[in-house]
């Protein structure tokens, strides 16, 4: 189970990668995609939509189930991964790279300290 | 929630776990929902072959001087049309016309039959059959624990099987069965299945099931055979347009609603349970009908989703999945009969309405008889 050490994680199995400045990209973890199985659809918000930490911002659907996605921090959407529209299976095959979901601007970084590091996340990402 | 202490394991439990099966509780059984990927297992079954553990299905014998008369009374189809070695799909109905179960009848000899029952319904079915059997000279025996059941389905099924079978299967007709050895194990080899593909179902003794599965997998792998779980089984059967108990049929959705009148012989001699109710419903018209649909998108309309027409709820999705072959979501729904032919039906997904296209099953050209 891959849990990169340079990312931050939520208990709901999203990951967040800090970029320069106040930008970040987010997605779902290897554990999450593995639990969901074959992903067939990802519903994403519009660019410029804003969310508070913990808000549901979309849905990832697999053959087995539909699962809500939760925003790790207060943020505005800068970019969505449009490739997921035609190839949602990227979330299965490359959850930390090709299968990224949103690029965001962090509007309030206070929730960053609540996120888990790889070691803490590994404790909850167990079968 | 089910009590895990009551969960049963098939004779392939260890085989399934050893081969990476993701086990889930299904109808009181620990079953593999998938091994690697539902989508890949589905595609491989259509392209080559899939091997399914369906040992959770139940079996019952019906034997005695009045076995045929009894089955013709409790089942909707006409058992008297069968000869030895024939399999027949039938419903078993309540007097109301609702369905106790759908099942396969195998005629092994004069007044000697084997029934194959849905896992979730075995106890209910056997109790129902035994209660009705009191009026006949017949014995109904639950023999589920004696059998494992393996489904081998797909265009390569017979080429895999022919290398292992002791009997010539080239002339085995659709819905016919033969008893013989496969990989050295005694089997009832039935040309039936639930995927819409060419294939067989192999009834084998509980103690031989795992060794038979290993032999089939080893022989079949070079031809593309994969292990397939319940997830692929469901998407394959829905693509084929087959009804599943608890979804397209149940104790309230009968043959008139579910377009299964072809399994009901109103002309057969004598009375059968449910006949009057089915006749009345057919002449009066049912209140609801089952329809199959495509969504045109990848978003699955799952069971319980509302079907709407001009903003008003007119039905409910009963099956929904993703078709890996069509690359879009497919499903079935129980809708008000008055709107069953409407071209303006939609599904409501999280408050947004998506039009659906009604489709006559199967969703793709399939020929299990080929």
């Amino acid at each position: 189970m891959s849990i990169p050490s340079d990312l931050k994680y939520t208990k709901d199995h999203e990951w967040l990668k800090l970029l320069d400045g106040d930008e970040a990209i987010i997605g779902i973890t290897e554990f999450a995609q593995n639990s969901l199985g074959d992903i067939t659809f990802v519903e994403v918000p519009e660019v410029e939509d804003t969310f508070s930490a913990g808000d549901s911002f979309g849905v990832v659907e697999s053959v087995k189930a539909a699962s809500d996605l939760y925003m790790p921090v207060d943020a505005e959407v800068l970019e969505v991964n449009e490739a997921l529209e035609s190839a949602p299976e990227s979330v299965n095959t490359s959850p930390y790279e090709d299968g990224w979901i949103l690029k965001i601007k962090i509007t309030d970084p206070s929730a960053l300290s609540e996120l888990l590091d790889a070691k803490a996340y590994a404790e909850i990402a167990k079968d | 929630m089910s009590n895990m202490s009551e969960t049963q394991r098939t004779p392939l439990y260890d085989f399934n776990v050893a081969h990476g099966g993701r086990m889930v509780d299904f109808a009181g059984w620990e079953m593999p929902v998938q091994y690697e990927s539902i989508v890949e297992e589905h595609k491989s079954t259509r392209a080559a072959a899939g091997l399914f553990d369906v040992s959770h299905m139940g079996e019952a014998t019906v034997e005695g001087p009045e076995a045929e008369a009894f089955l013709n009374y409790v089942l909707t189809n006409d058992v008297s049309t069968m000869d030895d070695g024939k399999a027949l799909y039938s419903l078993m109905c309540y007097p109301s016309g609702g369905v106790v179960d759908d099942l396969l009848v195998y005629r092994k000899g004069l007044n000697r039959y084997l029934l194959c029952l849905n896992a979730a319904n075995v106890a209910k079915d056997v109790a129902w059959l035994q209660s009705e059997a009191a009026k006949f000279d017949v014995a109904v025996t639950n023999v589920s624990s004696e059998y494992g059941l393996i489904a081998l389905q797909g265009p390569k099924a017979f080429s895999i099987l022919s290398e292992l079978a002791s009997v010539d299967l080239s002339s085995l007709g659709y819905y016919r069965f033969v008893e013989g050895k496969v990989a050295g194990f005694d089997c009832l080899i039935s040309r039936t299945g639930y995927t819409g593909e060419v294939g067989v179902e192999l009834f084998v003794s509980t103690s031989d099931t795992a060794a038979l599965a290993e032999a089939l997998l080893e022989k079949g792998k070079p031809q593309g055979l994969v292990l397939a779980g319940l997830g692929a089984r469901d998407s394959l059967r829905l693509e084929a347009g087959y009804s599943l108990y608890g979804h397209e049929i149940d104790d309230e959705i009968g043959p008139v609603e579910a377009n299964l009148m072809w399994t009901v012989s109103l002309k057969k001699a004598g009375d059968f349970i449910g006949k009057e109710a089915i006749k009345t419903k057919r002449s009066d018209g049912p209140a609801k009908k089952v329809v199959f649909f495509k969504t045109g998108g990848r978003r699955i309309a799952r069971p319980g989703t509302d079907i709407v027409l001009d903003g008003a709820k007119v039905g409910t999705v009963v099956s929904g999945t993703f078709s890996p072959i069509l690359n879009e979501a497919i499903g079935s729904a129980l809708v008000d009969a008055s709107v069953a032919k409407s071209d303006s039906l939609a599904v409501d997904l999280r408050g947004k309405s998506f039009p659906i296209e009604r489709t006559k099953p199967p969703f793709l050209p399939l020929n299990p008889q080929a």
Side-chain angles (χ1 to χ4, degrees), chain A residues 34 38 40 43 61-62 88, chain B residues 22 37-39 298-299 302:
Chain A
N34 191 47
D38 299 284
T40 55
E43 182 189 83
E61 289 208 6
S62 73
Chain B
R22 284 202 202 174
S37 149
I38 293 172
V39 167
R298 299 173 60 102
R299 179 158 234 185
R302 297 176 199 275

Side-chain angles (χ1 to χ4, degrees), chain A residues 34-41 43 59 61-68 85-86 88-89, chain B residues 22 33-34 36-40 231 235 298-302 320-322 327 349-350 352:
Chain A
N34 191 47
S35 306
L36 284 163
D38 299 284
I39 289 165
T40 55
F41 181 80
E43 182 189 83
V59 181
E61 289 208 6
S62 73
V63 175
K64 284 190 287 188
S67 185
D68 280 308
E85 196 175 325
S86 57
E89 62 274 14
Chain B
R22 284 202 202 174
V33 64
Q34 69 186 77
E36 293 292 329
S37 149
I38 293 172
V39 167
E40 291 309 315
S235 55
R298 299 173 60 102
R299 179 158 234 185
I300 297 169
R302 297 176 199 275
T321 193
F322 177 74
N327 199 29
L349 297 175
R350 291 171 177 258
K352 267 175 89 176

Side-chain angles (χ1 to χ4, degrees), chain B residues 6 68 75 158 183 199 218 229 251 304 314 362:
Chain B
E6 290 173 4
E68 180 185 303
L75 303 181
F158 275 86
E218 189 187 331
D251 56 357
V314 292

Side-chain angles (χ1 to χ4, degrees), chain A residues 12 20 25 28 38 41 43 53 69 71-73 101 115 123:
Chain A
D12 299 310
D20 292 340
I25 53 171
I28 67 167
D38 299 284
F41 181 80
E43 182 189 83
L69 295 165
M71 193 61 83
V73 290
I101 295 173
L115 298 179
E123 284 300 306

Side-chain angles (χ1 to χ4, degrees), chain B residues 198-260:
Chain B
V198 169
V200 293
E201 294 174 301
L202 302 169
F203 293 81
V204 58
S205 83
T206 309
S207 56
D208 292 340
T209 312
L212 175 62
E214 288 288 5
L216 287 165
L217 186 60
E218 189 187 331
K219 187 63 76 176
K221 257 187 178 167
Q223 297 195 53
L225 175 69
V226 301
L227 296 175
L230 291 176
R233 185 170 162 79
D234 190 54
S235 55
L236 288 158
R237 75 91 194 165
L238 187 57
E239 248 180 24
Y242 295 156
S243 299
L244 177 62
Y245 193 87
H247 294 255
E248 288 78 17
I249 40 174
D250 64 18
D251 56 357
E252 291 184 3
I253 316 174
V256 181
E257 291 88 348
N259 306 308
L260 290 174

